[in-house]
Amino acid sequence: MNPVRSKRQRLPCLPGALLMFAAAATAQDPREFPFPGGPGGPGGPGGPGGPGAARETRLVERFDENHDGKLDATERAAARAWQKQQPQRGPGGRGPMGRGPGGMRPGGGPPFGGEGEAVRPRGEPKTVDPKDVATYPDRGLYDQDIVRTIFLEFPQTDWFEELADFYRTDVEVPATMFVDGKEYRNVGVGFRGNSSYFGVQGKKKSFAISVDAGDAKQDLYGFRSLNLLNCHEDPSFLRETLHAFIARRFSHALQANVVRLVVNGESYGLFANVQQFDKDFLEVEYGTRKGVRWKAPANPRGGAGLAYLGEERGPYQQAYELKTGVEDVDAAWDRLIAVCRALNETPEAELERELPKLLDVDAALWFLAVDAATLDGDGYASRASDFVIWEGPDGRFRVLPYDSNEVLGAGMRGGRGPGGVPGGPAGPGREPGPTREGEPGQGGAPGREGQPGLGRRGPGRGPGGMMGGASPTSSPLALLDARDRPLARLLKVPAWRAAYLAHLRAIAQDALDWNVIGALAEPLFAQLDPFVRDDEKSLYGHDAFTRSLEALRRTIETRRKTILEHECMRGPWPTIREPRAVAALREGDQAVLEVSARIDAEASPAVVLLHVATSRRSPFTALAMHDDGAHGDGAAGDGVFGATSAPFDADETVHWYIEARSASEPPLAAFEPVGASARAASVESPKH
């Protein structure tokens, strides 16, 4: 049987609220959660066999009387009745704290105090008439400079309770969706997330929508799934959007923007609209729908992070979620084990030769650079979890970021959060961020480079205090000595360390420049303001929103300054100028790529390489470039380097980038284009 039956893939947020919930309920240190498991029995609150709280209960097959692969109203009623008779499941189910959604008070509020101004109703619910809404039928679903309104209509009045009853199940509740004046019938809707579900008060939960639930051909501007996140821990509503802006500028990453949601005529305010990690994403980014996808879900104790856990599949099946239906499930898990073993156990001297056979190293270096640049308090360096993995058709693995509501200072808190839980999320009106420009937030004291730090959720193993949120002044090389972050081994290879620093420098120079990122953030912030002002369901309130942009700016500017002024960034850096690439026909149906560029450096570069590939997802082949007058480089010794590729099919489009590495020790590197393999330049077939 296909192990992945549900079309809807819930990719939950970091369960920070789960930690607080358990600490309050059991008076235990939240770091003592067992793994695998957590509260609520084997496999965590979501049922047996899963990491923490990530697994969902399968109900469709049990109650699908007409065998159409989904539940109609009668079948859902039976499933709901059965659900209500099940034993208590702790946080995320109907636990001892109450019968409401998430095992809490009716309405989903936490079982302990913290009722702030931001979550109390401020009058009658705001209704929205579709005639009063701006429409954008000619704009992309993830365009970042617009705020599109999505309408959902449920025929039943108890839709919220029904969604709550089916939380963490494979049941989708049908609704009609309207976007830009167009009707989409029988979309499938469910609540999603961990802390964004039971860690918030009121009804503003995160939603997952399957556009094609009732019609396999139905899509919304080319996409079949929507993830609408309630921006838990982000009063600015901007962080997912800004992270996508930064990451996608240089590498492969999910798209994101901000939308407004209206349910049965009532405004539910603003949500982050984050692209699903699915076949549609793969097709756009890599030109294929094939391959195997996994998720490394949020883990309160820190995830496996591609650690080698032995040859048995069980520990990996507890630590990761397989998101693709495959014929040979065991073989897929064995391949994941193989890349984990290679990453952890290959001798350091052999890494550069052996690891690229199984891992897209440049993609991994961009992944680490984005994580470090954006201070992801919920990512790889901080928790070794909440990222996604794709094994491409070429057999190589890629890692990509996911769940970015806790970037750019969101992990840094001070004081006591809702309910008086030390180190919890900021209360209403308190925007996360540095206390003073250039200083870390109060929520955690940073450790020394490579040493344990104190994050906002207690002592953590993350480098430089990164567990639970890094300081904007954390070292760019904080990950280097982390023994429990296997990808840190990449930085032990001099060439890869140089590439990582080049990528991080490019992010800091370009994307973290407030003149660049602020050009998106400031107009969008102004556009969001009236929506937040009218939003009685806002998790943090208008006052916190108003202060949030300045906190973001301070964090971004401090992070940029820290990276660019760190000793590891001291030059001289090579510079690549005047790149030229031409595809030239050869005999028959063959062609070659001729590339040249001027390399500026205080000293002659030690290495200049041309990287060439005939597919966006295939490995690049590195060729030495020369300044000897014999490789299409002009005169010998003039600073222009050239190389000619091996012959390729003249019908193919060729992708290329240049790498120049200094002779200094350790070396520094430059790339053209700066996105290297992910954003390589291309030359069309000379036959075109």
Side-chain angles (χ1 to χ4, degrees):
M1 183 176 65
N2 188 334
V4 184
R5 290 182 53 86
S6 175
K7 265 189 308 186
R8 175 155 47 97
Q9 299 172 13
R10 295 179 187 79
L11 303 179
C13 300
L14 178 70
L18 174 58
L19 296 178
M20 294 187 295
F21 182 100
T26 66
Q28 294 177 351
D29 185 332
R31 291 172 293 139
E32 296 304 314
F33 273 3
F35 177 76
R55 294 298 191 229
E56 63 182 20
T57 302
R58 306 293 185 179
L59 296 177
V60 172
E61 186 172 25
R62 178 189 291 265
F63 292 96
D64 184 14
E65 295 292 336
N66 60 4
H67 304 291
D68 63 352
K70 53 193 172 186
L71 302 187
D72 60 26
T74 301
E75 294 165 341
R76 292 200 313 276
R80 288 179 73 183
W82 182 87
Q83 275 281 84
K84 293 176 181 179
Q85 300 302 316
Q86 299 315 298
Q88 297 173 341
R89 295 183 297 165
R94 291 176 178 78
M97 305 303 288
R99 297 282 298 182
M104 302 182 184
R105 294 194 309 271
F112 37 77
E115 297 258 6
E117 175 269 336
V119 294
R120 285 198 297 265
R122 296 194 292 270
E124 292 297 320
K126 181 176 179 57
T127 58
V128 180
D129 190 324
K131 297 191 298 294
D132 299 329
V133 170
T135 59
Y136 304 95
D138 299 324
R139 299 293 299 275
L141 179 61
Y142 295 103
D143 283 6
Q144 295 191 317
D145 60 342
I146 61 173
V147 181
R148 182 177 267 117
T149 300
I150 296 173
F151 292 86
L152 287 177
E153 291 288 339
F154 293 93
Q156 66 272 40
T157 58
D158 67 339
W159 64 268
F160 182 92
E161 289 75 17
E162 183 166 358
L163 292 182
D165 284 336
F166 289 128
Y167 172 61
R168 288 202 184 124
T169 74
D170 59 346
V171 178
E172 296 179 312
V173 179
T176 301
M177 183 174 71
F178 298 88
V179 181
D180 294 333
K182 183 178 178 180
E183 179 180 0
Y184 300 82
R185 296 183 179 180
N186 293 318
V187 302
V189 184
F191 286 143
R192 51 149 294 155
N194 282 340
S195 57
S196 67
Y197 179 77
F198 51 77
V200 303
Q201 303 177 39
K203 291 188 173 182
K204 189 164 184 174
K205 307 300 184 184
S206 295
F207 290 76
I209 302 174
S210 294
V211 181
D212 62 345
D215 180 355
K217 296 182 179 179
Q218 184 168 257
D219 64 68
L220 178 62
Y221 297 115
F223 297 91
R224 299 173 300 151
S225 299
L226 296 176
N227 290 316
L228 305 185
L229 312 185
N230 60 8
C231 296
H232 180 233
E233 304 206 42
D234 180 16
S236 75
F237 296 95
L238 291 174
R239 284 184 168 86
E240 290 278 6
T241 299
L242 296 184
H243 181 274
F245 172 83
I246 294 168
R248 290 181 57 79
R249 204 170 182 86
F250 307 100
S251 61
H252 299 291
L254 300 169
Q255 301 182 74
N257 64 357
V258 183
V259 300
R260 177 172 61 164
L261 178 66
V262 178
V263 184
N264 284 11
E266 181 180 345
S267 175
Y268 273 69
L270 298 175
F271 289 75
N273 174 34
V274 180
Q275 185 179 8
Q276 181 82 320
F277 178 56
D278 58 11
K279 292 180 180 180
D280 294 337
F281 168 78
L282 297 179
E283 184 170 30
V284 171
E285 292 295 310
Y286 299 101
T288 181
R289 301 179 67 84
K290 298 179 180 179
V292 184
R293 289 167 282 121
W294 285 268
K295 179 173 184 284
N299 185 341
R301 290 187 63 192
L306 299 176
Y308 179 55
L309 307 175
E311 288 299 297
E312 296 298 322
R313 301 182 189 107
Y316 299 91
Q317 293 167 341
Q318 293 288 334
Y320 305 94
E321 295 177 16
L322 178 61
K323 292 295 183 180
T324 306
V326 294
E327 292 184 5
D328 193 337
V329 174
D330 289 346
W333 284 108
D334 288 344
R335 293 193 300 273
L336 178 63
I337 293 171
V339 75
C340 291
R341 182 174 61 248
L343 181 60
N344 287 265
E345 297 196 342
T346 301
E348 195 170 303
E350 299 177 15
L351 278 173
E352 193 170 7
R353 182 181 70 251
E354 296 298 328
L355 200 55
K357 299 174 184 177
L358 297 175
L359 179 72
D360 186 331
V361 172
D362 190 58
L365 294 172
W366 274 115
F367 169 75
L368 295 177
V370 170
D371 188 272
T374 60
L375 302 168
D376 193 347
D378 198 8
Y380 185 81
S382 61
R383 290 191 176 273
S385 62
D386 253 355
F387 61 94
V388 290
I389 305 166
W390 175 55
E391 180 196 17
D394 62 351
R396 295 188 306 149
F397 284 73
R398 283 88 169 167
V399 286
L400 300 97
Y402 184 84
D403 193 7
S404 304
N405 64 309
E406 290 193 50
V407 300
L408 300 173
M412 295 172 290
R413 306 270 191 253
R416 301 171 71 85
V421 179
R430 268 184 281 166
E431 159 64 3
T435 55
R436 291 190 299 274
E437 188 165 348
E439 293 187 3
Q442 301 174 40
R448 293 186 303 276
E449 186 170 319
Q451 299 298 320
L454 183 62
R456 64 182 171 85
R457 297 185 178 99
R461 297 179 297 164
M466 295 178 78
M467 187 72 151
S471 161
T473 56
S474 294
S475 166
L477 291 173
L479 189 68
L480 191 59
D481 296 322
R483 292 186 297 273
D484 55 355
R485 300 292 189 270
L487 285 177
R489 295 195 75 207
L490 301 182
L491 306 188
K492 301 290 187 179
V493 178
W496 294 348
R497 179 187 184 276
Y500 164 79
L501 291 177
H503 297 344
L504 191 56
R505 180 173 181 252
I507 295 171
Q509 284 185 324
D510 185 357
L512 295 187
D513 182 347
W514 190 253
N515 292 323
V516 176
I517 196 170
L520 167 65
E522 290 180 348
L524 180 56
F525 187 80
Q527 192 177 170
L528 299 181
D529 183 82
F531 294 106
V532 181
R533 190 181 297 275
D534 291 341
D535 183 11
E536 76 279 353
K537 294 182 176 62
S538 171
L539 302 181
Y540 298 96
H542 186 258
D543 287 347
F545 170 79
T546 301
R547 294 191 294 271
S548 65
L549 185 65
E550 177 61 18
L552 271 169
R553 183 191 65 79
R554 290 198 311 269
T555 299
I556 289 170
E557 290 182 343
T558 299
R559 189 58 181 154
R560 182 175 192 263
K561 184 174 185 289
T562 296
I563 292 171
L564 295 180
E565 295 183 359
H566 193 273
E567 61 182 2
C568 69
M569 294 289 179
R570 293 173 186 166
W573 291 80
T575 303
I576 304 172
R577 297 192 297 115
E578 304 170 16
R580 176 181 175 273
V582 176
L585 285 171
R586 290 291 186 263
E587 293 182 3
D589 291 328
Q590 295 292 293
V592 295
L593 182 68
E594 299 172 347
V595 177
S596 64
R598 183 175 298 278
I599 312 298
D600 295 335
E602 292 187 12
S604 296
V607 176
V608 181
L609 299 173
L610 170 65
H611 299 265
V612 180
T614 55
S615 167
R616 283 182 287 167
R617 59 186 180 273
S618 63
F620 280 77
T621 300
L623 306 170
M625 299 183 71
H626 301 275
D627 181 14
D628 58 3
H631 290 80
D633 57 297
D638 63 355
V640 176
F641 288 71
T644 300
S645 74
F648 57 88
D649 190 326
D651 288 326
E652 294 180 304
T653 296
V654 180
H655 306 271
W656 63 271
Y657 66 95
I658 300 169
E659 175 185 5
R661 205 178 305 149
S662 72
S664 59
E665 191 61 42
L668 297 173
F671 295 87
E672 175 58 41
V674 293
S677 64
R679 296 291 181 249
S682 60
V683 175
E684 288 190 355
S685 162
K687 284 189 173 183
H688 291 172

